Amino acid sequence: MTLIRTFAALLLSVLAAAPALAQDRRVPSSPAELRLSYAPIVQRVQPAVVNVYAAKMVQNHNPFLDDPIFRKFFGLQGGQQEQMQRSLGSGVMVDPSGLVVTNVHVIEGADEVKVSLSDKREFEAEIVLKDTRSDLAVLKLKNVKEKFPTLDFANSDELMVGDVVLAIGNPFGVGQTVTHGIISALARTQVGITDYQFFIQTDAPINPGNSGGALVDMTGRLAGINTAIYSRSGGSQGIGFAIPANMVRVVVASAKSGGKAVKRPWLGAKLQAVTPEIADSLGLRSPTGALVASVVPNSPAARAGLKASDLITAIDGQAVQDPNAFDYRFATRPLGGTADVEVQRAGKPVKLAMPLETAPDGGRNEIVISGRSPFQGARVANVSPALADELHLDADTEGVVIVEPGDGTAAANVGFQKGDIIMAVNNQRIAKTTELEKASRDAARVWRITLLRGGQQINVTLGG
């Protein structure tokens, strides 16, 4: 009888506790709990978040101004009319000397850049470094002698989905604004914003003007730089993307060292995604990893022993889901030493020590074509491993590549694109920039051009 009573009492206690276990809610037990707030974090980090204003002069051509009668009647000057075009964004102070990190697209093409601090003071700034591959730029305040408040970098690899974060920036130019949310996803690799497809996704409201602003964790450290939103209306719809702090750290370190470009490790291999069909053929449970399609001779990958058909599954103990994830992980490794790369080869695990070295960049001989030809105004260069890596060309690509067609040039008007490989001009093989420059000086009524674009050979015939 006693045993039955004991069991009944235990059953009643479990049933009574079930709602509490399923939904643990309670009334605040003290006035202190009612005053819980993000304010201490905001007060600490807000002075390091700045507003960035960029301005550039653009030429507006009004066809009416070509008519002398129209100009005389209205008392206007002919020709091109200049207009100041302004853009705004946000930035983060990352060094007490006045270094600010922001997005490249915030200051792209700017003739003048100004930075406004949280205390309303404004400073002119110079562009120290632009890294279009990550969409990150570093500015330096001019003529300053004081020390500025900064944000420390978080280790973005330690972030977890569900972590609470704050977004601080200047949305729509209304002034510095703080919003909060959680990390919705990590390692977003199919966003299509920058070369390094590896983003933090957050539902903290981010709007135009927030670009370049801070995504801050609950310790007050910089978790990422807000860079883009997914929106059909132009406003926040709860899907924002930030560049992880570990990538920001690499770019800032290059700027501090005086570099004009970011130095990153070079793999020397072409990777491809694992499709469901490839996963089946390899006996994988899921289509993850980065499959090695080819390896450049004498590259770090070749010297480490990486082979075609190897499946890269991890780097330094961190899982690799796809080629974009590997590119990000590898690009954020410090130069010097090696990285531990885990691969599956013929179904067996293999560990490789990958040297962390920069790609060779000698012999570019970068020039601007000046001869009267379809190439006029284009900036071209001999393909080096570093340039091939920068332009996403196959690692073994050789020849002459268009680095930049130029705005309003003959090359741009013809339709040449960045990354086009010029193979032949009027049946003459082109292997060096000097050969293309010489060919462009020849007077020709017809130009027969063979180029390689996206792995596809294209033959073009143009009138002289």
Side-chain angles (χ1 to χ4, degrees):
M1 192 68 176
T2 303
L3 182 61
I4 294 174
R5 287 174 181 170
T6 303
F7 177 76
L10 180 61
L11 180 61
L12 287 172
S13 66
V14 170
L15 291 174
L21 292 172
Q23 199 171 34
D24 186 13
R25 294 179 177 176
R26 63 185 178 84
V27 175
S29 59
S30 68
E33 288 192 356
L34 290 173
R35 292 193 298 270
L36 290 176
S37 170
Y38 299 122
I41 298 174
V42 174
Q43 289 174 358
R44 188 166 70 251
V45 305
Q46 204 167 29
V49 182
V50 302
N51 299 333
V52 178
Y53 300 93
K56 64 179 176 180
M57 198 67 72
V58 294
Q59 302 288 336
N60 287 332
H61 178 70
N62 189 331
F64 287 108
L65 297 181
D66 293 335
D67 187 336
I69 298 176
F70 184 90
R71 293 201 307 269
K72 183 177 180 180
F73 183 79
F74 287 100
L76 300 173
Q77 299 295 320
Q80 301 283 345
Q81 299 297 303
E82 291 187 340
Q83 180 180 357
M84 185 66 77
Q85 191 176 81
R86 303 180 186 275
S87 62
L88 61 89
S90 305
V92 180
M93 197 77 70
V94 290
D95 189 83
S97 65
L99 281 185
V100 174
V101 65
T102 185
N103 287 134
V104 168
H105 72 259
V106 170
I107 51 89
E108 188 64 74
D111 299 314
E112 181 184 50
V113 179
K114 290 186 177 181
V115 170
S116 174
L117 307 186
S118 60
D119 61 10
K120 307 301 182 184
R121 288 186 297 161
E122 275 193 3
F123 296 89
E124 290 188 359
E126 62 178 329
I127 300 171
V128 177
L129 183 150
K130 289 197 305 182
D131 184 47
T132 55
R133 301 190 68 183
S134 64
D135 193 25
L136 290 171
V138 180
L139 316 175
K140 182 171 178 55
L141 305 191
K142 294 181 179 179
N143 304 319
V144 294
K145 297 180 180 179
E146 62 184 286
K147 299 295 183 182
F148 296 93
T150 64
L151 287 188
D152 294 329
F153 291 106
N155 181 355
S156 51
D157 287 340
E158 295 178 352
L159 298 174
M160 298 182 67
V161 174
D163 283 351
V164 175
V165 287
L166 304 178
I168 308 176
N170 183 16
F172 296 112
V174 300
Q176 199 171 89
T177 302
V178 180
T179 57
H180 92 285
I182 63 169
I183 293 176
S184 307
L186 295 167
R188 286 295 193 213
T189 60
Q190 304 298 323
V191 181
I193 303 170
T194 67
D195 286 358
Y196 294 106
Q197 299 293 306
F198 199 88
F199 294 93
I200 301 167
Q201 182 182 326
T202 177
D203 68 347
I206 296 173
N207 289 288
N210 270 109
S211 289
L215 189 71
V216 179
D217 66 14
M218 289 296 98
T219 66
R221 294 180 300 172
L222 184 67
I225 294 293
N226 300 318
T227 191
I229 59 173
Y230 175 83
S231 175
R232 295 178 178 176
S233 63
S236 173
Q237 291 185 309
I239 302 179
F241 300 101
I243 301 167
N246 287 359
M247 176 61 78
V248 182
R249 193 197 310 267
V250 170
V251 175
V252 171
S254 292
K256 285 183 176 181
S257 67
K260 296 298 181 182
V262 179
K263 299 293 186 182
R264 296 184 173 95
W266 175 53
L267 178 65
K270 184 179 180 180
L271 307 180
Q272 69 180 72
V274 178
T275 64
E277 292 76 17
I278 293 175
D280 286 341
S281 67
L282 296 176
L284 303 176
R285 295 179 60 184
S286 59
T288 61
L291 189 64
V292 179
S294 60
V295 177
V296 179
N298 301 318
S299 66
R303 285 185 278 114
L306 194 67
K307 298 181 179 180
S309 299
D310 281 351
L311 180 69
I312 299 176
T313 57
I315 176 171
D316 286 339
Q318 294 175 311
V320 169
Q321 298 297 323
D322 55 31
N324 286 324
F326 178 84
D327 287 346
Y328 167 82
R329 299 277 184 209
F330 195 63
T332 53
R333 292 297 180 271
L335 290 168
T338 60
D340 294 327
V341 176
E342 298 175 31
V343 305
Q344 281 193 17
R345 179 179 297 166
K348 296 181 180 179
V350 177
K351 286 191 176 182
L352 305 174
M354 190 67 63
L356 297 171
E357 306 169 357
T358 57
D361 198 24
R364 275 199 191 197
N365 193 27
E366 196 168 302
I367 61 173
V368 175
I369 302 297
S370 57
R372 188 172 180 178
S373 70
F375 304 101
Q376 189 175 24
R379 187 155 51 95
V380 300
N382 298 326
V383 179
S384 65
L387 188 55
D389 187 49
E390 179 183 325
L391 298 179
H392 295 288
L393 305 174
D394 287 346
D396 56 354
T397 300
E398 296 179 347
V400 176
V401 63
I402 293 184
V403 178
E404 188 59 56
D407 294 332
T409 64
N413 293 335
V414 165
F416 286 117
Q417 298 178 11
K418 182 177 182 177
D420 285 348
I421 306 293
I422 308 303
M423 302 176 65
V425 176
N426 291 336
N427 299 321
Q428 294 181 7
R429 182 176 177 272
I430 302 297
K432 298 180 179 179
T433 55
T434 52
E435 295 174 356
L436 180 59
E437 185 179 33
K438 181 180 178 181
S440 68
R441 290 201 212 100
D442 295 338
R445 292 185 177 182
V446 177
W447 294 85
R448 295 181 176 86
I449 301 167
T450 302
L451 60 91
L452 195 67
R453 177 181 295 170
Q456 181 179 1
Q457 182 172 310
I458 301 173
N459 297 308
V460 181
T461 301
L462 301 170

